[in-house]
């Protein structure tokens, strides 16, 4: 069953086609990495999936329900963390549960479970300005997972981090994906990240899908140490053509 269906979507922005007659199916409980040069439409596509933008033509469905606003049972992870600076780590993660009026016991139990899962328990009472970039992004992941979403959207969620922090966060996202039944859709500029986190790699150019590549290496242990990983990097780089992607 497809978790996400994008059907013949066009989106016009200031008389320019940001997306042109684009179609994409993403099966449930899989991960999809969307990659391409700046301005190719990948973030526009993700924002349309999130209901932030309504297609000029075509339709998007999450579990056969048309997306016209932010979809239910979905979370989104942004590059800038979007944490509330006046709330602690615990309070940021538990915010969605409080809004949904869950019981105090459920809020406590779910939040503590996430703090443990994301190695954040020692930081539970710290504020965002006391955290590193990687720690902030882990808090944002925790907040995204608190309501047990079926679908998680990531908009260049690791791009502002240094190389080692980025790899650690990628490892954590892979672990989260493997431990939970969820569909993950990620926009990235990084070929290596697309291969590490994408079962399907969607290459975009000029508002259209240029190629879809199935990734047999997804989830393989010590993947970055394998020669196959760099062979796949070369495959994706060749598919991107002459466009510069980091």
């Amino acid at each position: 069953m497809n978790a996400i269906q994008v059907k013949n979507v066009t989106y016009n922005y200031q008389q320019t086609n940001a997306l042109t007659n684009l179609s994409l199916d993403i099966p449930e409980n899989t991960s999809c990495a969307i990659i391409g040069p700046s301005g190719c439409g990948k973030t526009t596509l993700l924002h349309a999936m999130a209901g932030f933008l309504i297609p000029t033509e075509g339709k998007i469905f999450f579990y056969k329900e048309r997306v016209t606003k932010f979809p239910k049972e979905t979370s989104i992870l942004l590059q800038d963390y979007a944490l509330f600076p006046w709330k602690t780590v615990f309070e940021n993660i538990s915010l969605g549960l409080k809004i949904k009026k869950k019981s105090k016991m459920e809020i406590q139990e779910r939040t503590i479970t996430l703090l443990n899962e994301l190695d954040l328990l020692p930081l539970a009472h710290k504020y965002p300005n006391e955290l590193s970039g990687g720690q902030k992004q882990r808090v944002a992941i925790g907040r995204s997972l608190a309501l047990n979403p079926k679908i998680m959207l990531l908009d260049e969620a690791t791009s502002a981090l240094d190389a080692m922090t980025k790899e650690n966060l990628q490892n954590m996202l892979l672990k989260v994906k493997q431990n939970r039944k969820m569909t993950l859709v990620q926009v990235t500029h990084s070929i290596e990240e697309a291969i590490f986190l994408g079962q399907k790699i969607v290459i975009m150019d000029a508002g259209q899908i240029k190629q879809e590549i199935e990734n047999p290496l997804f989830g393989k242990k010590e993947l970055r140490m394998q020669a196959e990983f760099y062979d796949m990097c070369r495959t994706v780089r060749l598919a991107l053509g002459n466009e510069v992607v980091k």
Side-chain angles (χ1 to χ4, degrees), residues 37-225:
S38 295
C40 72
K42 56 188 183 296
T43 296
T44 301
L45 175 58
L46 194 82
H47 286 187
M49 288 181 181
F52 300 159
L53 304 172
I54 302 302
T56 308
E57 298 177 16
K59 299 175 182 178
I60 299 175
F61 298 89
F62 279 24
Y63 286 100
K64 298 184 179 181
E65 185 172 329
R66 186 177 178 183
V67 174
T68 56
K69 57 184 180 180
F70 192 75
K72 60 185 179 181
E73 297 187 279
T74 300
S75 66
I76 188 164
L77 192 63
L78 304 171
Q79 180 181 339
D80 62 0
Y81 319 125
L83 302 178
F84 291 100
W86 60 88
K87 291 185 179 293
T88 65
V89 168
F90 186 100
E91 291 166 340
N92 267 285
I93 289 176
S94 63
L95 183 61
L97 296 168
K98 290 181 179 178
I99 291 172
K100 292 291 186 180
K101 297 183 179 180
K102 302 296 183 181
S103 69
K104 287 185 178 180
M105 182 177 291
E106 185 174 357
I107 290 171
Q108 181 77 11
E109 289 178 353
R110 275 215 223 174
T111 305
I112 292 295
T113 296
L114 283 166
L115 288 168
N116 276 313
E117 183 177 353
L118 299 172
D119 298 325
L120 288 170
L121 193 58
L123 306 176
H125 300 296
K126 289 188 177 292
Y127 290 87
N129 66 355
E130 300 176 278
L131 306 177
S132 68
Q135 290 168 340
K136 289 176 184 177
Q137 198 59 292
R138 278 189 280 148
V139 176
I141 292 170
R143 186 180 58 191
S144 297
L145 295 175
L147 293 172
N148 295 323
K150 289 184 178 179
I151 296 172
M152 178 181 279
L153 308 175
L154 297 94
D155 188 5
E156 298 187 35
T158 71
S159 62
L161 304 175
D162 65 82
M164 290 306 299
T165 303
K166 183 180 294 190
E167 286 194 4
N168 289 335
L169 192 62
Q170 291 166 0
N171 293 339
M172 185 159 287
L173 285 168
L174 178 61
K175 181 181 175 182
V176 166
K177 170 69 188 75
Q178 290 174 329
N179 290 344
R180 294 168 178 263
K181 290 184 177 180
M182 64 188 304
T183 304
L184 189 150
V185 182
Q186 176 193 32
V187 161
T188 181
H189 274 97
S190 168
I191 292 171
E192 290 81 1
E193 183 166 87
I195 294 165
F196 190 80
L197 289 176
Q199 288 174 268
K200 176 191 286 187
I201 300 167
V202 173
I203 296 173
M204 287 189 63
D205 187 36
Q208 297 178 307
I209 292 176
K210 186 177 182 181
Q211 189 173 344
E212 295 181 28
I213 299 174
E214 297 299 325
N215 178 16
L217 305 180
F218 176 78
K220 188 172 181 179
K221 289 185 179 180
E222 302 294 332
L223 177 57
R224 298 185 191 93
M225 303 299 292

Side-chain angles (χ1 to χ4, degrees), residues 1-7 24-30 61-65 151 183 200:
M1 178 180 181
N2 287 320
I4 300 172
Q5 291 178 294
V6 180
K7 293 188 174 182
L24 176 65
D25 291 335
I26 302 175
E28 66 176 346
N29 303 332
T30 65
F61 298 89
F62 279 24
Y63 286 100
K64 298 184 179 181
E65 185 172 329
I151 296 172
T183 304
K200 176 191 286 187

